[in-house]
């Protein structure tokens, strides 16, 4: 047996004194937070991703949200059709024109509040990517936290921090010069940009300029491209493709409803959100209700122990939950799930009292409590203490109690630092700690989230975590 396996046995043995009286459980489900790249997945691509999950014992998928602000992941009657670049996505801006050149210069004037992130540049002739594997230079230099060398021309554009090149607060326009190796005819240049409002990443609103050169010294302008022609005409049916894949694999899917991005700034109008999400739920059920894999609904508001302490706020969230659960049961007869969290220095007894009050009227079916470990709000031991304190309340109200294990490690953003939120996959040793200490108090373990922090599709630390977990469970034998 490998060294890591021996080490994990020691970790498990050492933690046994801290575990609850229940059984230590493995991961059997995962959240999926959709983004621009995942929205393009076909049924076969989803089948491949979900099969990776099933191979390590997962049978449940929770879609974080079907709509986020003006971004829809299915063809909704409520979406706007003139969106240039939806949030949490990768947007592609294409220059078109015929010229013969060896060197291509792309000049970008950053307009982001903090970061400009680029996963890929493709210089093409027809469908052929002439720039694939070619060398390039950048000025100013990118942030050293992100890949250097050939990342921009490797043909990969994953929505993952480790799969992009990033510039933070650049003081001058970014110049990228690609060397095609020889004089050749090109007819398009595609540059992909990341947008993530929560992480301070916006697309360059002015587009970019293109210049060409035969010797790499004297460049001639080849024009500018803007976003005016890059508007979204319709939404892909991401949910439909995913549900078809889940049907074929006998997996269960909880569909998240819509979330207003202003929720993260403390804004929450119960009546407005009830009205919107009842419309979304009705539409989703009419489109996807016949799928065998559709198991229930997820309300994406992440209720915490800090922002809902006043009587007005507490009654507001209780009204929202009660109304949504009642409506979902009446219309679909399917369960409703939420995934709350708790903050720094959590008070398990006070939080349990709060939930006792809310659940006395809001009969939520499933609560998948976030453990807060990945965001560094709490330690594994603190989190286990809160989960232990909550269990009797969940039992009292007949709530199915799950734990949502964070399999990422936050590296920027509050409470780590003052930067924008960023995270990388966690180490297996910490994930084992979380399972060992938290899962005995819960019915089921799900994670946040698989496609960004645990899938081997991304390679790197995500693949390492997947393989290490597979070895830990013995599923790799």
């Amino acid at each position: 047996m490998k060294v890591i396996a021996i080490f994990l046995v020691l970790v498990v043995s050492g933690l046994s004194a801290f575990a609850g009286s229940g059984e230590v459980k493995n991961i059997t489900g995962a959240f999926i937070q959709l983004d621009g790249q995942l929205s393009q997945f076909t049924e076969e691509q989803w089948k491949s991703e979900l099969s990776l999950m099933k191979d390590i014992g997962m049978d449940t998928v929770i879609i974080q949200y079907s709509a986020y602000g003006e971004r829809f992941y299915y063809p909704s009657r409520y979406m706007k059709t003139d969106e240039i670049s939806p949030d949490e996505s990768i947007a592609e801006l294409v220059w078109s024109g015929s010229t013969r050149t060896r060197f291509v210069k792309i000049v970008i004037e950053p307009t982001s509040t903090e970061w400009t992130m680029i996963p890929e540049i493709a210089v093409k002739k027809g469908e052929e990517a002439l720039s694939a594997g070619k060398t390039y230079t950048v000025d100013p230099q990118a942030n050293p936290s992100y890949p250097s060398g050939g990342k921009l021309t490797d043909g990969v554009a994953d929505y993952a921090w480790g799969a992009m090149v990033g510039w933070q607060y650049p003081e001058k326009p970014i110049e990228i010069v690609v060397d095609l190796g020889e004089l050749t005819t090109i007819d398009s240049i595609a540059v992909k940009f990341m947008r993530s409002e929560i992480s301070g990443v916006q697309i360059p609103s002015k587009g970019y300029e293109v210049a060409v050169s035969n010797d790499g010294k004297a460049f001639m302008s080849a024009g500018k491209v803007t976003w005016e022609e890059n508007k979204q005409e319709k939404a892909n049916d991401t949910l439909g493709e995913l549900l078809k894949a889940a049907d074929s694999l006998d997996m269960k899917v909880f569909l998240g409803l819509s979330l207003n991005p202003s929720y993260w700034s403390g804004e929450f109008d119960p009546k407005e959100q009830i009205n919107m999400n009842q419309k979304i739920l009705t539409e989703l059920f009419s489109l996807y209700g016949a799928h065998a894999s559709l198991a229930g609904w997820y309300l994406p508001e992440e209720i915490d122990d800090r922002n809902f302490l006043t009587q007005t706020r507490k009654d507001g969230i209780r009204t929202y939950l009660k109304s949504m659960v009642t409506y979902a049961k009446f219309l679909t007869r399917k369960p409703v799930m939420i995934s709350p969290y708790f903050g720094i220095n959590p008070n398990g007894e006070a939080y349990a009292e709060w939930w006792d009050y809310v659940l006395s009227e809001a009969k939520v079916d499933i609560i998948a409590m976030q453990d807060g470990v990945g965001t560094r709000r709490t330690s594994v031991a603190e989190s286990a203490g809160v989960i232990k304190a909550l269990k009797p309340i969940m039992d009292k109200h007949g709530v199915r109690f799950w734990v949502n294990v964070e399999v990422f490690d936050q590296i920027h953003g509050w409470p780590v630092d003052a930067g924008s939120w960023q995270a990388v996959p966690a180490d297996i040793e910490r994930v084992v700690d979380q399972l060992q200490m938290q899962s005995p108090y819960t019915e089921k373990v799900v994670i946040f989230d698989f496609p960004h922090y645990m899938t081997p599709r991304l390679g790197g630390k995500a693949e390492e975590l997947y393989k290490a977990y597979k070895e830990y469970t013995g599923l790799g034998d």
Side-chain angles (χ1 to χ4, degrees), residues 167-224:
W167 290 262
Q168 186 180 30
Y169 306 124
E171 297 179 354
K172 61 180 182 178
I174 299 167
E175 294 187 357
I176 303 168
V177 179
V178 180
D179 182 358
L180 299 176
E182 60 183 2
L183 281 173
T184 185
T185 300
I186 67 171
D187 54 29
S188 70
I189 302 168
V191 182
K192 295 184 178 180
F193 298 92
M194 174 189 183
R195 180 186 173 199
S196 174
E197 296 296 332
I198 194 173
S199 297
V201 184
Q202 287 91 30
I203 61 172
S205 60
K206 299 178 182 179
Y208 60 85
E209 296 181 5
V210 175
V212 295
S213 170
N214 292 343
D215 60 7
K217 298 178 181 179
F219 281 87
M220 180 177 66
S221 175
K224 184 175 183 178

Side-chain angles (χ1 to χ4, degrees), residues 32-327:
I32 290 180
Q33 182 171 304
L34 296 172
D35 57 39
Q37 182 193 20
L38 296 175
S39 70
Q40 306 296 318
F41 270 26
T42 63
E43 178 184 349
E44 286 305 310
Q45 287 175 300
W46 278 121
K47 190 176 295 184
S48 175
E49 191 79 350
L50 298 186
S51 293
L52 290 169
M53 296 170 61
K54 193 165 185 178
D55 286 346
I56 54 173
M58 298 188 192
D59 57 20
T60 303
V61 174
I62 306 110
I63 303 302
Q64 182 78 350
Y65 33 68
S66 299
Y68 184 72
E70 296 179 353
R71 170 70 171 183
F72 284 78
Y73 295 100
Y74 70 98
S76 171
R77 73 187 74 177
Y78 305 110
M79 71 173 289
K80 296 181 179 179
T81 57
D82 61 350
E83 192 171 18
I84 292 177
S85 175
D87 194 17
E88 299 299 317
S89 69
I90 293 177
E92 182 178 72
L93 184 57
V94 179
W95 170 92
S96 297
S98 182
T99 186
R100 186 171 173 80
T101 186
R102 172 177 171 176
F103 295 90
V104 174
K105 179 191 289 186
I106 298 158
V107 182
I108 302 160
E109 182 180 342
T111 55
S112 180
T113 57
E114 184 172 356
W115 289 93
T116 299
M117 303 292 296
I118 303 177
E120 183 187 12
I121 292 174
V123 181
K124 297 182 177 182
K125 180 180 180 181
E127 295 300 315
E128 182 183 3
L130 303 173
S131 56
K134 295 297 192 297
T135 61
Y136 58 85
T137 61
V138 299
D139 182 39
Q141 291 300 307
N143 188 291
S145 299
Y146 297 99
S148 57
K151 178 68 203 73
L152 292 178
T153 55
D154 67 357
V156 178
D158 287 318
Y159 190 89
W161 293 104
M164 303 189 194
V165 178
W167 290 262
Q168 186 180 30
Y169 306 124
E171 297 179 354
K172 61 180 182 178
I174 299 167
E175 294 187 357
I176 303 168
V177 179
V178 180
D179 182 358
L180 299 176
E182 60 183 2
L183 281 173
T184 185
T185 300
I186 67 171
D187 54 29
S188 70
I189 302 168
V191 182
K192 295 184 178 180
F193 298 92
M194 174 189 183
R195 180 186 173 199
S196 174
E197 296 296 332
I198 194 173
S199 297
V201 184
Q202 287 91 30
I203 61 172
S205 60
K206 299 178 182 179
Y208 60 85
E209 296 181 5
V210 175
V212 295
S213 170
N214 292 343
D215 60 7
K217 298 178 181 179
F219 281 87
M220 180 177 66
S221 175
K224 184 175 183 178
V225 58
T226 67
W227 294 96
E228 294 306 311
E229 302 301 321
N230 199 62
K231 295 181 179 180
Q232 179 180 342
E233 295 181 358
K234 64 178 182 178
N236 293 327
D237 190 7
T238 309
L239 298 183
E241 298 298 300
L242 187 150
L243 285 164
K244 286 187 288 185
D247 288 344
S248 67
L249 295 170
D250 194 27
M251 298 180 74
K252 300 302 180 184
V253 178
F254 287 80
L255 288 183
L257 302 183
S258 69
L259 182 65
N260 188 334
S262 64
Y263 179 82
W264 303 120
S265 301
E267 299 179 24
F268 180 68
D269 184 329
K271 292 182 179 179
E272 181 180 295
Q273 198 63 6
I274 288 169
N275 181 54
M276 184 60 187
N277 265 340
Q278 286 185 353
K279 291 179 181 178
I280 296 296
L281 192 151
T282 302
E283 185 174 59
L284 291 173
F285 188 60
S286 68
L287 291 171
Y288 308 115
H291 283 274
S293 57
L294 180 58
W297 312 102
Y298 173 71
L299 304 180
E301 291 80 12
E302 298 177 12
I303 306 162
D304 62 72
D305 61 346
R306 295 290 189 272
N307 293 305
F308 295 93
L309 295 180
T310 68
Q311 196 63 41
T312 299
R313 295 277 285 180
K314 187 160 52 173
D315 287 342
I317 199 67
R318 186 167 73 164
T319 297
Y320 170 68
L321 294 177
K322 180 180 179 180
S323 297
M324 289 307 305
V325 170
T326 301
Y327 188 79

